[in-house]
Amino acid sequence: LGTKVTIRDVARLAEVSLGSASRVINGSANVGADIRERVEKAITELGFKPNALAQSMRGATRMVGILVRDITVPAFAVFVRAAQELLHDAGYTLLITCTEDRKDREIELLNFLVRRKVDGLIATTSSEEDSDLARIRSAFPAPMVLFDREFPSTSDSVRVAHRRGIRQAMEHLIGFGHKRIALITGSKNVLPSRERIIGYKEIAKERHLPIDDNLIRSVSFEADTAFFETFKLLSQPSPPTAIILGGANLLAGSVKGIQAKKLRIPDDISIIGASDSDLASLSQPPFTIVRWDYKELGRASAQLLRDRMEAKTSYPARHITLETELVIRGSCGLPSRKE
Amino acid sequence: LGTKVTIRDVARLAEVSLGSASRVINGSANVGADIRERVEKAITELGFKPNALAQSMRGATRMVGILVRDITVPAFAVFVRAAQELLHDAGYTLLITCTEDRKDREIELLNFLVRRKVDGLIATTSSEEDSDLARIRSAFPAPMVLFDREFPSTSDSVRVAHRRGIRQAMEHLIGFGHKRIALITGSKNVLPSRERIIGYKEIAKERHLPIDDNLIRSVSFEADTAFFETFKLLSQPSPPTAIILGGANLLAGSVKGIQAKKLRIPDDISIIGASDSDLASLSQPPFTIVRWDYKELGRASAQLLRDRMEAKTSYPARHITLETELVIRGSCGLPSRKE
DNA sequence: TTGTACGCGTTATCAA
DNA sequence: TTGATAACGCGTACAA
């Protein structure tokens, strides 16, 4: 019961035509009270549920794809969930997929989403540089909102002001007297990393800090990477006195590295994390962080996409940039050594 | 290009019939080398990608639904991701949905998944007791694997030995001399909470601990709840000397409560968390926890479901129970007060 | 081996 | 207002 029942069965039981049944189901105005009643009765009696597949064959699928690196990163989960809520209220369903920062997987997922005929896509890419990826993105047959990425530029996008975020962090540390400040962030072929590095260099120049390229670690956003890089940085003959983490998932790895070196925060080393987390807010001392609102980011992406999907006419790409906020807690102090 | 091209276009360009094109695409054996070549050429030339919707109309959708409380809880994300990986390798795609522990939402999602014709479902329910929910679950038209739930009993299931987990935690605390041990866990209409409470009472009886029902807080798995309950427990005239958290997402809330009371761990209060996390492993001191393997849980669920979906004949329900492990770290010590 | 025609469950168009 | 019928894109019996 309810498992294999089609609109035909409904029409038959209600003794009306297919068309009438369909009209009742879709709430068309032009339908007699008598027929409507009979059809509705048949529907509940049979437990009829329209086959979404067949509906999609005709019109839109009302499915939206989302491409993130890893749903396991709590910040991304918050982003996805916020987008999902807004989209759900608009009658769309989210197809959540994870690239794991792997090119092959990203290509596969992109193809999958076009085969599945999603009406739109919220995406972050593992590389803005890669030409295969770029080609597929450009050819994507549905509206797309980029999340912290900038290619193709004809797409709507939602970004974070990472460059200014790094400035906030740097200013704070420089205020304590730090001169050797390290930055650990992701690969240069994505926007956030590039912006952070640019910001870092800008302010270093302004404040006449010597730029030691060795202190800029642009590798990946994986937590393990943060562990290795932190450990290596702190094992140098002349280690940094402060580390800025440029990535939402880096704090745990970095803390692990610091614990491995048996260093105290902030006495031996100052740390500024990126984006809030239980670890950041509840550690003793709690971590000073550059924070931005993943929930708002998710909502904004969803709204941008929704507008685009429902637009009758085309309009220029819209770009939303969210500001960051420096949340000062207890992980920064005076530099442990004089230079 | 590639956006609106159907198998018809391929057939036309290759100058073959529809059937032949289809056969080539689906790798049928009975097809001439000549035709195969022409079709394949046409496919790449046109950038043809089969419409998954239309394919699904004929056979299976190769989609699987998953129903969790909240993808934002890292442990659940790990579970989902592990299931996703295994299913993906088998050619299935996961439709991830979140109930938020709300009945209305759960009903809506369940209906959504049957309308979308998923081939299977991995589900946890917000209540095993509720009769509306029970009816819908029982009528679900595809194989279903229950995750840490036991209804309907005819479904395959994957569970955690929470009862024994609580015993491990209790034994550990009793070993330190604790007598007033609190348990914070979720609502009683789900299996894990019930099992934990049973385990708690069993061992309390064995060890001749007075059972104070006031120390058993069975409310919800939300972090906020853990905060309130911890705070209230510690504000009592005769507070517990130890708290066991029975839920993967409770530690952060509880820690917040303890910090609000300005208590030190483990000097003033001993804590045992549930399931690992950055917060649990990297705090100073790190938290002693009852751990179980969400990744393995995800894999097992996926495997159970896959077997069921691909089975030619029916077979009895299978139930897998994973053991827990007590990871002793630094959040437990001697009770702060004698009774 | 190849081609034709039908069915999957809808919605939408067009007569009646 | 209602009913019949043509799509949607694909897989597959069945006929050639």
Side-chain angles (χ1 to χ4, degrees), chain A residues 70-85:
Chain A
D70 181 2
I71 190 69
T72 277
V73 177
F76 293 163
V78 169
F79 171 81
V80 169
R81 194 171 186 280
Q84 188 169 44
E85 272 167 22

Side-chain angles (χ1 to χ4, degrees), chain B residues 153-169:
Chain B
S153 54
T154 50
S155 290
D156 296 323
S157 74
V158 171
R159 306 177 194 177
V160 177
H162 293 297
R163 196 188 297 201
R164 279 196 291 276
I166 284 296
R167 293 184 76 94
Q168 296 171 316

Side-chain angles (χ1 to χ4, degrees), chain A residues 8 36 144:
Chain A
R8 278 194 160 72
R36 156 156 292 132
M144 172 165 53

Side-chain angles (χ1 to χ4, degrees), chain B residues 55-74:
Chain B
Q55 289 181 313
S56 297
M57 289 280 299
R58 303 284 299 145
T61 58
R62 300 207 75 82
M63 287 245 227
V64 167
I66 191 164
L67 209 65
V68 294
R69 176 156 55 81
D70 181 2
I71 189 71
T72 276
V73 177

Side-chain angles (χ1 to χ4, degrees), chain A residues 16-17 19-20 23 30-32 35 57-58:
Chain A
V16 298
S17 77
S20 296
R23 275 185 284 267
N30 306 334
V31 50
I35 286 202
M57 289 277 299
R58 302 285 311 159

